[in-house]
Amino acid sequence: MAKDIEAAPPGGEYGAKDYSDPPPAPLFDAEELTKWSLYRAVIAEFVATLLFLYITVATVIGYKHQADPAGPNAADAACSGVGILGIAWAFGGMIFVLVYCTAGVSGGHINPAVTFGLFLARKVSLVRAVLYIIAQCLGAICGVGLVKGFQSAFYVRYGGGANELSAGYSKGTGLAAEIIGTFVLVYTVFSATDPKRSARDSHVPVLAPLPIGFAVFMVHLATIPITGTGINPARSFGAAVIYNNEKAWDDHWIFWVGPFIGAAIAAAYHQYVLRASATKLGSSASFGRS
């Protein structure tokens, strides 16, 4: 484990922070499969993703019903419901709540793209990453299934909360929107959970869910008009499975490829550009003393 190095003031000395990077997670650890903590974390990811999809997709369906010009609120349909702003708040707010609740158990991923990015950065093992992604996808299916069960009269009529490329946008535009949106999210996750920041500022671990939730909120404001905002393959997969519409499946690859590319770029940027600077500075400091 390498000590982090502080930038020296003009004419000053380089000094080591009282901080060490945690060791990288093993690629495959068979012993991990024997630990209850792994399965407890997997269950937490399943339940959190179920709750996330239930609340958010129910919000989407409810808004479309209230804003339907042919519905019971036809007279003021344009002003009815929570609107795009409310939908964005539902997604961002639920991520804030669920990350806060599950961070101490599973890390609060609730998103295969986040799990993939953390795996690339060696923050989680391959075994844990695979089990998390499976649990997240199953939780998403169950969450959307509950929405369909409770709102069967409106679910199919209002699109099932499925992610689809909006009319007037090319697949390339949709893919780029998903890549950039997921980059913002995963970059925020890395920054908010950086152990270096936790060592410097004791309040950072408590506040970490807040910027992550805000990142989801802001990205939704920007990309709902383009793709409905995926940035979470489990969210898109669960809705596509339950809605089972040809258009949703035709566009579905965008909501896996885009988020995984965005997560990979964010992981590389944080690990090899932002955090690499400390290593390079440390090498320079050592050379200067020799």
Side-chain angles (χ1 to χ4, degrees):
M1 295 186 292
K3 285 282 187 182
D4 190 25
I5 304 297
E6 282 283 282
E13 293 281 335
Y14 287 99
K17 285 288 290 181
D18 185 17
Y19 158 77
S20 296
D21 275 311
L27 181 63
F28 181 82
D29 183 7
E31 185 180 353
E32 190 174 25
L33 291 169
T34 66
K35 296 179 179 177
W36 164 243
S37 60
L38 171 64
Y39 300 102
R40 179 178 60 193
V42 170
I43 293 170
E45 287 292 311
F46 170 84
V47 173
T49 313
L50 184 155
L51 294 174
F52 175 59
L53 266 294
Y54 171 71
I55 295 296
T56 55
V57 173
T59 301
V60 172
I61 300 300
Y63 161 64
K64 289 186 175 182
H65 173 58
Q66 290 176 311
D68 186 355
N73 301 316
D76 58 346
C79 301
S80 297
V82 297
I84 289 180
L85 185 64
I87 291 173
W89 270 121
F91 279 88
M94 278 304 292
I95 287 296
F96 167 64
V97 170
L98 293 169
V99 170
Y100 179 83
C101 291
T102 61
V105 180
S106 67
H109 297 191
I110 322 171
N111 184 336
V114 171
T115 300
F116 181 66
L118 293 173
F119 166 71
L120 292 180
R122 300 293 299 278
K123 305 293 185 183
V124 296
S125 68
L126 177 62
V127 170
R128 185 174 291 263
V130 170
L131 290 179
Y132 273 21
I133 291 173
I134 292 173
Q136 290 156 0
C137 290
L138 291 177
I141 292 171
C142 293
V144 181
L146 286 177
V147 177
K148 184 176 182 179
F150 294 154
Q151 301 193 32
S152 56
F154 308 119
Y155 179 81
V156 175
R157 179 178 177 180
Y158 296 118
N163 287 123
E164 297 177 357
L165 189 64
S166 299
Y169 292 99
S170 67
K171 292 187 183 297
T173 300
L175 181 63
E178 290 296 311
I179 291 173
I180 295 170
T182 310
F183 174 86
V184 172
L185 170 59
V186 178
Y187 174 39
T188 304
V189 169
F190 274 106
S191 299
T193 60
D194 192 331
K196 179 170 68 175
R197 298 188 65 185
S198 299
R200 291 175 174 174
D201 305 302
S202 60
H203 64 276
V204 168
V206 178
L207 295 179
L210 186 59
I212 295 171
F214 262 107
V216 172
F217 167 68
M218 297 303 294
V219 170
H220 273 74
L221 289 181
T223 58
I224 282 177
I226 304 173
T227 62
T229 308
I231 69 171
N232 183 334
R235 175 261 185 272
S236 302
F237 180 70
V241 168
I242 300 300
Y243 185 46
N244 197 27
N245 175 269
E246 184 178 356
K247 168 65 173 170
W249 283 120
D250 286 345
D251 296 339
H252 188 64
W253 66 272
I254 294 172
F255 303 102
W256 282 90
V257 175
F260 273 35
I261 292 175
I265 296 172
Y269 176 61
H270 185 268
Q271 295 296 106
Y272 300 114
V273 177
L274 300 185
R275 291 303 307 277
S277 60
T279 303
K280 292 175 182 177
L281 188 56
S283 301
S284 299
S286 300
F287 179 76
R289 296 193 193 99
S290 60

